[in-house]
Amino acid sequence: AIVLAAAVSVPGFSQDRDARGGSLTIGACHYGLNVDSNGISEYYETDSSRPPRVSGSVGIASLDFGFNILTGTGYYGPWKGYGDFLDMNGWKSVRVAWEPASVAIAIDRQAHVSLAAGIRILADNYTFSRPYTLVYNDMGTVVPREIDGYVKKSKLTATYIGIPIRLSFRIGNDLHITGYAAGDLLLSGRTKYKKPKVKGTVSCFSPLRISAGGSITFNNLGVYCEYSTTPLFKDGTGADVRTVSVGLRFGI
C-alpha cells in the first residue's frame, strides 16, 4: 500500500483525495493527474465561467449618433474677411459612425480590462447657421460664398474610414469606461444646399484625422465625447478649426 501523507501548497495547485474510492487527484493550472486503482490518468479542467481572452464582433460592433461642434476657429488667407461664416447649427450638424467589426483582447483573466481595435465608417455633417457654402473661384481655390435667395439648409459633409483603438475597463458585468484614439482617412468632402438641391465636391478637408475620445456605457448603451487633434481643413485652406463630437453610443 502507498500512503501520501504530505502536501505542498502552490498557487494554482489543488489536491483532493477520495478515501471511499481510493483515488487521489492532483491539479495545477487546469492540468491534473488522477491516481486510483486503475493507475494514473491525465485530465484537463476548464472554467466555463471565465470570459475568453480574445473575442470579436461582426455586424454592428458599435454605433454612434451625435452632434458636431467646431471649436477654436481662426480665419486667415482666402477665408479671412467673411466674418464667422463657419458658425454652425449644432443640432443639425450630425455625426453617424458605424463600426462593423472589432477584435478585443482581455488583459486580465477576468476581462475587467481589455484592449480592442476595429474598423469604423463615419459621416460628419456641418450645417451652416447662415446661407453660406464653399465653391471654387476662377483660380481653383476653395472660398466661401454667400447664397442668394432663400436657402432651407446648407451644409458640408465629410466621410471617413478609420481604425479606433480602445482601452476599456469593466465594472461589474455591464458598466464600461473606455478611452480611445482613432485615425481616420478621408473618403470624400462635399457641399450641399437646398432648395433647389445643389451638390458639389471640395478638396479642402484634411486627408487624415487623428482624434481622441472616451465613452461610458451601461448594458451597451451610453454616451461618448471625441475631440479631433488635427484641423478639419488642410493647412493653407483658410481656417484653423477642430471638431468636438458628443452623443449616444450603442456598444462599448
Side-chain angles (χ1 to χ4, degrees):
I2 298 176
V3 178
L4 297 178
V8 179
S9 177
V10 179
F13 179 93
S14 64
Q15 175 178 305
D16 297 307
R17 185 169 184 173
D18 186 346
R20 293 174 298 175
S23 65
L24 176 68
T25 300
I26 302 173
C29 300
H30 302 285
Y31 171 78
L33 295 175
N34 186 62
V35 183
D36 56 21
S37 59
N38 296 320
I40 301 175
S41 59
E42 298 178 311
Y43 80 95
Y44 293 89
E45 176 187 347
T46 60
D47 185 358
S48 60
S49 64
R50 179 173 293 167
R53 272 297 179 91
V54 180
S55 60
S57 298
V58 177
I60 302 180
S62 70
L63 182 66
D64 293 346
F65 182 83
F67 303 95
N68 293 316
I69 303 167
L70 297 186
T71 182
T73 306
Y75 301 98
Y76 61 89
W79 289 12
K80 195 172 183 180
Y82 291 88
D84 191 14
F85 74 94
L86 285 177
D87 180 48
M88 298 292 169
N89 184 331
W91 294 110
K92 294 182 179 180
S93 299
V94 176
R95 162 176 290 189
V96 178
W98 169 45
E99 190 174 345
S102 70
V103 176
I105 300 174
I107 295 177
D108 66 313
R109 302 203 50 104
Q110 295 300 322
H112 292 296
V113 183
S114 60
L115 186 66
I119 298 174
R120 69 176 185 174
I121 300 171
L122 304 95
D124 281 340
N125 295 274
Y126 305 93
T127 302
F128 291 94
S129 296
R130 295 184 290 163
Y132 272 90
T133 189
L134 297 177
V135 297
Y136 288 97
N137 63 13
D138 295 337
M139 303 294 293
T141 302
V142 177
V143 295
R145 188 187 75 182
E146 190 171 4
I147 306 170
D148 296 329
Y150 171 75
V151 175
K152 183 177 180 180
K153 180 171 61 176
S154 178
K155 67 178 182 177
L156 305 174
T157 300
T159 56
Y160 303 86
I161 185 169
I163 298 177
I165 299 177
R166 297 187 173 94
L167 182 63
S168 183
F169 300 87
R170 178 170 61 88
I171 301 174
N173 293 325
D174 300 314
L175 180 63
H176 290 81
I177 300 175
T178 303
Y180 64 93
D184 301 309
L185 182 66
L186 180 71
L187 297 178
S188 67
R190 298 181 180 273
T191 62
K192 178 181 177 181
Y193 64 89
K194 59 181 182 181
K195 297 181 177 179
K197 185 181 291 187
V198 178
K199 295 182 179 180
T201 301
V202 289
S203 60
C204 55
F205 292 97
S206 296
L208 178 64
R209 180 175 66 183
I210 305 298
S211 56
S215 66
I216 299 176
T217 60
F218 181 79
N219 197 22
N220 291 324
L221 175 62
V223 295
Y224 78 91
C225 180
E226 182 174 317
Y227 173 73
S228 173
T229 62
T230 54
L232 178 62
F233 301 108
K234 291 189 296 187
D235 186 35
T237 297
D240 184 11
V241 59
R242 287 162 175 78
T243 301
V244 176
S245 181
V246 295
L248 297 177
R249 168 158 296 168
F250 302 90
I252 299 174

